[in-house]
Amino acid sequence: MTPPLAPAGWSRWLVPPAALSVHLSIGQAYAWSVFKPPLESALGLSGTQSALPFQLGIVMLGLSAAFGGTLVERNGPRWAMTVALCCFSSGFLIAALGAATEQFWLIVLGYGFVGGIGLGIGYISPVSTLIKWFPDRPGMATGIAIMGFGGGALIASPWSAQMLKSYGTGAEGIAYAFLTHGLVYAAFMSLGVLLVRVPPPGYRRKAAEESPAAATGALISTAQVSARSAVRTPQFWCLWLVLCMNVTAGIGILEKAAPMITDFFAETSTPVSVSAAAGFVALLSAANMAGRIGWSSTSDLIGRKNIYRVYLGAGAVMYLLIALFGDSSKPLFVICALVILSFYGGGFATIPAYLKDLFGTYQVGAIHGRLLTAWSTAGVLGPLIVNRVADSQEEAGRSGAGLYGLSFTIMIGLLVVGFVANELVRPVHPRHHVPAPREAADDQLAGDQRHHA
């Protein structure tokens, strides 16, 4: 399925909305917690069991992005968005059948396995195309799309809660809610499938001539590297560490945000209420979303290596301030946590542009997919560190902020590891470059497609 070439006069600003239609939809994954209590009550599940669909979905996101990245590059964004639409929406439909028949394994299969494939393919589907359309501002372009994944829950959470209120929180009501999600998201994601276009022949070369500053810089390569070669370079694994450490630090707070702020101030004269803790979680989500577009756009101005110095270096300072003074000042705690979460979101949005700088645009989507295995690792590592340490500290008789001191120290150490890995990033050795100029080949292929059309 080949996406149509953009006609003369086509505005590149129509491509980010196409990407957003997919990312805002699959961003629903962050709102899974809305369904946990009703599922536990309707099907008699434990908290661990009700988390299985989400956990499997995130695992499949990383695996499908890693293994499907090359197919996405080969077949183009329209094919990838169509696959994402079919998998993500049918996952909800299978989950609806599972809820209606009270077969939890169908919910896990549908939302977790099938829907998770849609998450991974959908997440990487627009990346390469956006970078090709915006060679002068790749950080901003990918930030707009990936912002949608972070902000999808802001739409899905109240919408899902309202549906459960209308349909009921029993098995039948959950089934109707899943069914509605599947149909509505299919319609919304189809807008992206229909709207997406690839640049016409010569577009990237013309854009580089018009914006020569976009093609300069020690770490910005004009050569191209295949996905197969990229994973053999030290640069790839340095960036893998950078992303893993940054995500681990952010998700460590995000996953335990409400109980964490409650614990920090439980033994003070101004404890945090349940509603205030929920408000804190909402603020973190907003910071996560804002960081994706704000920091990634900033990276176009100061460079990718410099922005990751900020994420990792300033992030370590924020963790240190919380560890030392967080329980004595609510504003300090909240501000530092918001900054860390903005770095968390910014790290996701900036990494595709960093990859483009180092490896070129040839198979950047496939390389990005392989790098997302760092997210899967961090998704296990971050919560494991914070929860395991908190449990052990509680068994040792500590309470309040004392539950998190050791885990924050570990996070600081991990961010330092990421900072060092970022400093080790150098231009890719020419032996990894593809032997023939890809720009001309891409233009020839696009010209042939236009001729046959």
Side-chain angles (χ1 to χ4, degrees):
M1 182 183 292
T2 304
L5 290 171
W10 176 268
S11 173
R12 65 179 182 172
W13 292 101
L14 294 173
V15 181
L20 271 174
S21 72
V22 173
H23 274 246
L24 281 171
S25 299
I26 63 177
Q28 184 280 336
Y30 277 148
W32 173 255
S33 59
V34 174
F35 290 103
K36 279 172 61 66
L39 281 171
E40 290 166 16
S41 176
L43 303 182
L45 305 174
S46 66
T48 301
Q49 289 173 319
S50 66
L52 280 176
F54 172 78
Q55 290 174 323
L56 181 57
I58 295 300
V59 170
M60 292 308 302
L61 185 157
L63 293 177
S64 60
F67 290 105
T70 302
L71 288 174
V72 171
E73 287 292 336
R74 183 182 304 154
N75 297 315
R78 173 165 288 183
W79 176 88
M81 289 181 177
T82 301
V83 171
L85 183 161
C86 293
C87 291
F88 189 67
S89 296
S90 62
F92 269 113
L93 301 184
I94 295 170
L97 177 63
T101 59
E102 299 188 14
Q103 298 293 318
F104 181 62
W105 70 271
L106 278 175
I107 298 176
V108 176
L109 174 67
Y111 188 93
F113 185 80
V114 179
I117 295 173
L119 288 177
I121 300 299
Y123 191 87
I124 64 174
S125 62
V127 168
S128 178
T129 303
L130 283 167
I131 287 175
K132 290 171 184 175
W133 272 111
F134 292 86
D136 52 334
R137 286 181 278 184
M140 180 213 66
T142 55
I144 290 174
I146 293 176
M147 176 186 67
F149 191 82
L154 296 180
I155 298 172
S157 291
W159 182 43
S160 300
Q162 183 58 47
M163 276 195 289
L164 289 171
K165 182 178 179 181
S166 301
Y167 294 142
T169 56
E172 183 178 355
I174 296 170
Y176 279 123
F178 284 156
L179 177 63
T180 304
H181 274 77
L183 297 177
V184 172
Y185 281 134
F188 192 59
M189 293 172 76
S190 67
L191 297 176
V193 173
L194 296 173
L195 190 60
V196 70
R197 298 287 189 279
V198 296
Y203 175 82
R204 278 171 284 164
R205 183 169 54 250
K206 180 182 177 183
E209 292 170 354
E210 293 176 352
S211 304
T216 62
L219 287 178
I220 300 179
S221 174
T222 57
Q224 308 292 340
V225 181
S226 69
R228 181 185 295 272
S229 296
V231 297
R232 299 173 182 171
T233 64
Q235 288 83 355
F236 177 89
W237 294 105
C238 283
L239 290 190
W240 193 96
L241 269 177
V242 165
L243 182 63
C244 186
M245 299 301 99
N246 189 61
V247 174
T248 299
I251 210 167
I253 284 184
L254 185 63
E255 190 269 342
K256 203 174 174 65
M260 183 181 292
I261 193 172
T262 302
D263 289 337
F264 253 79
F265 299 97
E267 300 174 357
T268 67
S269 58
T270 55
V272 176
S273 66
V274 174
S275 59
F280 174 63
V281 173
L283 282 176
L284 292 181
S285 296
N288 175 14
M289 183 173 65
R292 292 174 185 242
I293 181 63
W295 291 120
S296 60
S297 297
T298 304
S299 76
D300 290 330
L301 303 176
I302 69 174
R304 252 60 77 173
K305 190 167 188 175
N306 285 332
I307 200 68
Y308 272 97
R309 284 169 174 155
V310 174
Y311 297 158
L312 300 159
V317 172
M318 294 298 106
Y319 259 115
L320 181 62
L321 289 175
I322 292 177
L324 295 178
F325 310 111
D327 59 342
S328 61
S329 171
K330 282 182 184 176
L332 176 67
F333 180 94
V334 171
I335 290 171
C336 288
L338 291 177
V339 172
I340 291 171
L341 261 294
S342 74
F343 292 161
Y344 167 81
F348 277 121
T350 310
I351 204 68
Y354 208 162
L355 293 171
K356 173 261 180 189
D357 290 349
L358 289 169
F359 302 110
T361 59
Y362 171 39
Q363 290 190 331
V364 67
I367 300 169
H368 183 219
R370 286 160 170 78
L371 196 78
L372 288 181
T373 54
W375 182 4
S376 299
T377 303
V380 174
L381 194 60
L384 180 65
I385 291 172
V386 173
N387 289 297
R388 182 68 61 85
V389 170
D391 290 343
S392 64
Q393 295 299 300
E394 187 174 13
E395 292 173 0
R398 294 183 177 85
S399 60
L403 296 174
Y404 303 97
L406 178 58
S407 61
F408 284 3
T409 302
I410 295 173
M411 294 298 182
I412 292 170
L414 293 178
L415 287 169
V416 170
V417 170
F419 189 93
V420 172
N422 185 53
E423 293 302 305
L424 294 175
V425 174
R426 297 289 186 271
V428 176
H429 194 279
R431 71 173 179 271
H432 296 291
H433 296 167
V434 293
R438 300 304 306 184
E439 177 74 32
D442 288 349
D443 286 351
Q444 181 63 45
L445 175 62
D448 291 345
Q449 292 172 350
R450 172 171 284 179
H451 174 73
H452 292 306

